[in-house]
Amino acid sequence: MFVRSHDFLGMQGTSHTWRPTEMYGTGWPSNAGGRLVGSLSSLPYALAEAEQNFLIPAQTQALIWGDLVPQMILSAKIPRWWNVTASQVHWVGLHLRYGREMAAGSAFDAEQRAQFLAALALFAPPARTNQVARQLEEGNAKEALDHITPSELFSVAREVAPKRKGDTSCLLAEIQQLAENSKDVNYAAISHAFGTPKPTLTNSYEPDMMSLRTFPALMGYSSRIMAESWESNTLYWAALADELGLTPAQLNVRIPEWTQKLVEQIFASHLEDWPALLKSLRQVGDDVRKNARASAADTKAALQESPNR
């Protein structure tokens, strides 16, 4: 984004000195023009907040969540991937797959279901935990997983994995093996590498995973706290990249692209319609997988034709 100017003092008669960065004067004629005012303390969020105005929803009358979208854009564009290793990306992918495996097994094993739900209750609201419990009791693992966020799956896998001593899961064995053999594979490093900035909750832009329950809207309005409690995007993108065999460096470009599509495809009916956000997230993932398979098929066909020429 091109920034025309940054006014640290603000207009005469206003008090913007040392205040958080904000856009000022948007919509004015070009001789005055919108510009950034205030300090540089929240510049990344201010730029993300301005960028959301250029996104076009795919659905008519779809909501652009005023606080959530800048947080998602900010998290997507942090230059984190140069310092992330392939082992860390794979470890995140293993956790999400193990969480899904646990959920699927819970539909048939009452003891495993109790353990899974006890862990889920630590990270998901009680109403949604009860909904997932009913669906698992009925054997509807797919329906249950549709109501569990990627961050909750990761947290459940982290919580349950050390307690599953007799588990013969290949995913669990690989999780443990990676943790033992790689110095950069541990939960503290993963929190820093795949977390989100939380300037409101922690007064810092340092990425962190707090594994909080998703905050509700405040008196019917969205809030920065609600937005900062959403930690699923980066984990989901990392698991998707692991599935497709992408390198961490490629995610510097891919994740901002995927996030833009995610935002534009959200079709929520109200500010707490988290299923709509999850649906959009998974829809983008499905589209990426479909395109990857089509590209692989085209490449294979081209390679098969080349020896015959």
Side-chain angles (χ1 to χ4, degrees), residues 86-106:
S87 296
Q88 290 175 327
V89 173
H90 186 48
W91 209 52
V92 170
L94 288 172
H95 274 73
L96 264 64
R97 289 199 289 274
Y98 182 60
R100 288 194 291 269
E101 182 183 89
M102 281 283 298
S106 298

Side-chain angles (χ1 to χ4, degrees), residues 60-140:
T60 305
Q61 297 181 344
L63 291 172
I64 291 289
W65 292 3
D67 294 290
L68 177 64
V69 171
Q71 177 70 16
M72 291 167 62
I73 294 174
L74 173 61
S75 180
K77 295 194 173 183
I78 293 176
R80 69 175 92 210
W81 300 108
W82 301 114
N83 300 316
V84 173
T85 66
S87 296
Q88 290 175 327
V89 173
H90 186 48
W91 209 52
V92 170
L94 288 172
H95 274 73
L96 264 64
R97 289 199 289 274
Y98 182 60
R100 288 194 291 269
E101 182 183 89
M102 281 283 298
S106 298
F108 306 99
D109 187 331
E111 182 179 349
Q112 183 172 323
R113 180 164 62 246
Q115 192 175 36
F116 179 84
L117 292 173
L120 181 63
L122 299 174
F123 310 105
R128 190 147 50 80
T129 302
N130 292 334
Q131 185 179 16
V132 170
R134 288 194 301 271
Q135 290 164 341
L136 289 177
E137 288 172 0
E138 295 170 359
N140 296 326

Side-chain angles (χ1 to χ4, degrees), residues 95-218:
H95 274 73
L96 264 64
R97 289 199 289 274
Y98 182 60
R100 288 194 291 269
E101 182 183 89
M102 281 283 298
S106 298
F108 306 99
D109 187 331
E111 182 179 349
Q112 183 172 323
R113 180 164 62 246
Q115 192 175 36
F116 179 84
L117 292 173
L120 181 63
L122 299 174
F123 310 105
R128 190 147 50 80
T129 302
N130 292 334
Q131 185 179 16
V132 170
R134 288 194 301 271
Q135 290 164 341
L136 289 177
E137 288 172 0
E138 295 170 359
N140 296 326
K142 185 179 183 301
E143 294 292 330
L145 282 168
D146 286 342
H147 292 87
I148 304 175
T149 68
S151 62
E152 290 164 357
L153 274 180
F154 179 87
S155 298
V156 167
R158 181 188 63 193
E159 182 74 17
V160 171
K163 303 174 183 177
R164 302 282 295 177
K165 300 298 183 182
D167 197 333
T168 58
S169 169
C170 297
L171 295 172
L172 178 58
E174 192 170 357
I175 288 172
Q176 295 170 342
Q177 184 179 8
L178 267 177
E180 292 171 359
N181 298 333
S182 302
K183 294 181 180 180
D184 57 352
V185 174
N186 55 72
Y187 290 113
I190 294 300
S191 175
H192 178 73
F194 298 90
T196 61
K198 297 178 175 62
T200 303
L201 288 171
T202 66
N203 200 31
S204 171
Y205 278 90
E206 189 79 14
D208 186 25
M209 284 177 57
M210 300 182 69
S211 300
L212 299 171
R213 290 175 178 171
T214 304
F215 277 71
L218 301 178

Side-chain angles (χ1 to χ4, degrees), residues 3 5-10 15-24 35-47 203 205:
V3 179
S5 65
H6 192 122
D7 187 349
F8 290 90
L9 299 178
S15 177
H16 290 98
T17 309
W18 301 117
R19 290 183 59 184
T21 318
E22 60 181 292
M23 290 292 295
Y24 187 81
R35 59 190 182 279
L36 296 169
V37 298
S39 68
L40 296 176
S41 62
S42 58
L43 179 61
Y45 186 87
L47 293 176
N203 200 31
Y205 278 90

Side-chain angles (χ1 to χ4, degrees), residues 226-250:
M226 181 180 76
E228 290 177 12
S229 67
W230 179 259
E231 299 179 323
S232 291
N233 289 8
T234 307
L235 294 172
Y236 182 84
W237 299 141
L240 179 61
D242 179 50
E243 182 181 334
L244 299 178
L246 300 178
T247 64
Q250 290 176 284

